Amino acid sequence: MKNLLVTGGCGFIGTGFIRYLLLNSDFKGRIINVDKITYAGNPDNLADIEKSNPERYVFKKADICDPDAITHAFKAYEIDAVCNFAAESHVDRSIVAPDAFIRTNIEGTFNLLEVSRQNSDRLVLFHHVSTDEVYGSLGSDGFFTEKTPYKPNSPYSASKAASDHLVRAYNKTYALPVTISNCSNNYGPYQFPEKLIPLMILNALEGKSLPIYGDGRNVRDWLFVEDHCRAVWEIMKGGTRGQTYNIGGRCELANIDTVTMLCGLLDEMVPKTDRTSHRDLITFIQDRPGHDLRYAIDCSKLEKELGWAPVETFETGLRKTIQWYLDNSNWVQRIKSGEYLRWVRQHYGNDE
Ligand code: NAD
Ligand code: DAU
């Protein structure tokens, strides 16, 4: 993998992945990051990398649905591997406006696969990053394995399921060398503050209410983002081509317990001046339509075949995450005010 095309590298996990590959891993090649820079993509995240690694990091603003732009990137940078993070990723947005999810997640993945097929003489790997949500919802027991039938419940998870099927089909039909990973809920630095954990951290710091959907008993399986990024890299290097690998933290928590724990850490790290607990800010609001009850990943295939295990516990990962948001108030301010998107439009033009 000399020239790795990473899509969606300006988003939360893509940023973590590029930082991990260039700063902490044994990857020796060059990364070409193609990102459309939607509301969720932020070039600020990699500005230091762009400066310090000009030979090993290239950024191109482009849409994965654009065949000409992707073909051009393949030819200009002699792409020999792809890691596809680009997606519309937020379930609540997919309920309100599913169109972009169908376009980016399904058509965009299809376009990447087609361009990869046309350049398959050089391609050593197409890795597709996906989600445990394709498996649907668990009851109170059991785990998702790689053999669990797909049963997606939201427009987001349905669009990711469709993209997984396309990737698998390109391996079966055209022998494209692919791997797929399906991961549980991530948290950590650079996460856009619409997702549960960063939203709760920033609301709590501002003394705003902490809105929990329904009764707060829905369960998610949490994984620190850097552990996910390391798993993706291990699969890219050593995973069997044509196979799927589940990634998870073995860290199941009901949402109310997650938020309560977060409030406890905030009370310790940034105590309120009136000494009341951040827990007092918790409010229960109307449930998400079609809200999946429980996700829990069995990641024993990844552990056994590739020797991967998470490094962070939920407590160490949450502490690091809170500290990151405290230390990066400038990043938060630019996100919340929309300043970074205004900068992107001035810098790259508005192609919306
Ligand atoms: P994100 O929303 O933070 O980032 C998505 C990135 O993709 C952004 O930089 C955005 O600008 C870019 N993008 C969107 N549409 C594009 C297009 N048409 N062309 C090019 N770039 C485009 O998402 P994330 O949380 O970093 O998730 C990354 C991937 O990991 C997604 O495929 C998601 O389904 C998957 N995943 C996420 C989680 C999680 O907990 N966040 C867990 C498992 C899997
Ligand atoms: O499981 C992997 C998936 O995790 C990824 O594929 C998605 O891209 C990612 O967004 C995430 O999906 P969720 O819907 O689980 O994440 P979210 O942070 O939106 O919500 C986590 C849980 O918290 C979920 O049960 C809904 C609940 N929630 C969320 C928000 C934003 C609340 O109770 N209140 C909130 O304000």
Side-chain angles (χ1 to χ4, degrees), residues 135 144-146 181-183 244-248 297-299 302:
Y135 299 122
F144 296 136
T145 74
E146 289 81 359
S181 53
N182 293 86
C183 188
T244 287
Y245 292 83
N246 279 354
I247 311 172
I297 279 276
D298 176 349
C299 54
L302 176 63

Side-chain angles (χ1 to χ4, degrees), residues 39 88-102 153-157 194 213 286-290:
Y39 78 95
E88 288 293 336
S89 70
H90 195 47
V91 173
D92 292 331
R93 285 180 189 256
S94 84
I95 294 167
V96 178
D99 323 36
F101 289 74
I102 304 306
N153 291 318
S154 71
Y156 163 69
S157 54
E194 63 187 350
Y213 299 160
Q286 192 179 4
D287 210 352
R288 171 187 280 175

Side-chain angles (χ1 to χ4, degrees), residues 11-13 35-36 38 41 63-64 85 89 104 130 156 160 186:
F12 162 50
I13 307 174
D35 196 301
K36 181 182 173 187
T38 65
D63 187 335
I64 58 164
F85 288 94
S89 70
T104 289
S130 192
Y156 163 69
K160 291 296 291 186
N186 283 217

